[in-house]
Amino acid sequence: MELRLAQGTPCWVSLLTDDLPGARAFYGELLGWTYSPGPGQLGAYVRAELDGTPVAGLGVSSTTGFPVQWTTYFAVDDADRTAQLVRECGGTVAVGPLQADDAGRMAVAADLSGAVFGLWQAEQHLGREAGTDPGGPAWAELLTPDADGAAAFYGTVLDRPVRPTADESALLVHGRPVAGIRHRADLRGHPPRWRTHFAVRDAEQTTRHTVELGGRVLVEPHDTARGRAARLADPQGGHFSVLEAL
């Protein structure tokens, strides 16, 4: 088997939705995904693929009324030990750690402010590192009213340094930024959350296509330090962002 992604690397994104067929159709058309079955322990769950390579997961929430949302997973060497660190640092572990067939071991947790994230100890399924391939995950960013507390929490739990910058702090793996932590005092009624960005060739065209497919535009395409971006929502209400990489 190939080597796992390094501890602390965002390695997977997964959507919990109340309309799996609708979500499959929407993201398949928008991002060019096809699908294959996922681990049986996760219930109605599929892996989204680009050219046969898994890039994301889609599943049905088992909790009535649970918000439709994307979750960022971080690679860890030992899910059980990291889950215990989450608790010791004041976070909570909502799911697991549990075994997902021979794919790996996982847990779902929340940080001090309640932002949900996942832990993934890879076995047969390594996950996918963020990149610039259209349709794949491009960047993970935490929006939180307590950026300093979040930086200390994730730095300890993931055993990686966090570097402050002018606009946001960056979680580093081997000296390279892999995720951002952005202070946001006013979240406009939304809870603190990890924001999932997908790479696209054309942010404007993707935004128009989102509306054609029944989704919504939350923030129109605009320039950022990482490229042209837009914030969107799928027809079921799941928020996501797209990023036209520089």
Side-chain angles (χ1 to χ4, degrees):
M1 189 181 102
E2 298 176 57
L3 293 175
R4 295 174 182 161
L5 294 175
Q7 167 105 2
T9 304
C11 65
W12 193 244
V13 291
S14 188
L15 175 72
L16 284 182
T17 180
D18 52 12
D19 180 6
L20 183 55
R24 287 179 58 159
F26 173 82
Y27 289 102
E29 176 66 25
L30 187 72
L31 299 176
W33 291 349
T34 58
Y35 300 96
S36 64
Q41 285 92 335
L42 303 182
Y45 185 86
V46 296
R47 288 183 183 141
E49 299 181 345
L50 285 173
D51 299 323
T53 300
V55 294
L58 286 78
V60 176
S61 173
S62 60
T63 304
T64 302
F66 190 84
V68 177
Q69 66 179 26
W70 283 97
T71 299
T72 296
Y73 283 75
F74 293 89
V76 295
D77 296 331
D78 186 327
D80 293 81
R81 182 173 62 84
T82 306
Q84 183 58 34
L85 267 177
V86 168
R87 297 185 184 97
E88 291 173 1
C89 291
T92 58
V93 178
V95 178
L98 57 84
Q99 194 70 22
D101 291 343
D102 60 357
R105 193 159 178 79
M106 61 161 287
V108 178
D111 64 22
L112 297 169
S113 65
V116 175
F117 65 100
L119 306 173
W120 184 252
Q121 179 185 334
E123 293 176 12
Q124 294 300 314
H125 175 59
L126 301 177
R128 180 184 174 97
E129 192 169 1
T132 58
D133 294 339
W139 182 244
E141 179 183 66
L142 175 66
L143 302 181
T144 177
D146 182 12
D148 290 340
F153 175 85
Y154 288 100
T156 300
V157 166
L158 298 175
D159 193 24
R160 292 297 181 187
V162 178
R163 181 182 66 197
T165 67
D167 297 322
E168 64 179 11
S169 296
L171 179 70
L172 305 182
V173 172
H174 302 321
R176 179 174 59 88
V178 296
I181 298 174
R182 183 178 294 274
H183 176 75
R184 185 67 59 83
D186 180 12
L187 292 173
R188 300 183 181 180
H190 295 288
R193 62 200 181 278
W194 279 94
R195 182 186 290 171
T196 297
H197 296 68
F198 295 106
V200 296
R201 291 189 175 87
D202 186 321
E204 272 79 7
Q205 190 277 333
T206 303
T207 298
R208 291 193 297 270
H209 202 186
T210 294
V211 175
E212 293 167 356
L213 294 170
R216 293 183 293 123
V217 179
L218 305 176
V219 177
E220 294 283 351
H222 58 284
D223 291 327
T224 73
R226 296 191 173 276
R228 197 151 178 79
R231 289 180 54 208
L232 308 168
D234 65 32
Q236 294 74 39
H239 292 192
F240 65 101
S241 295
V242 295
L243 181 64
E244 184 182 320
L246 294 172

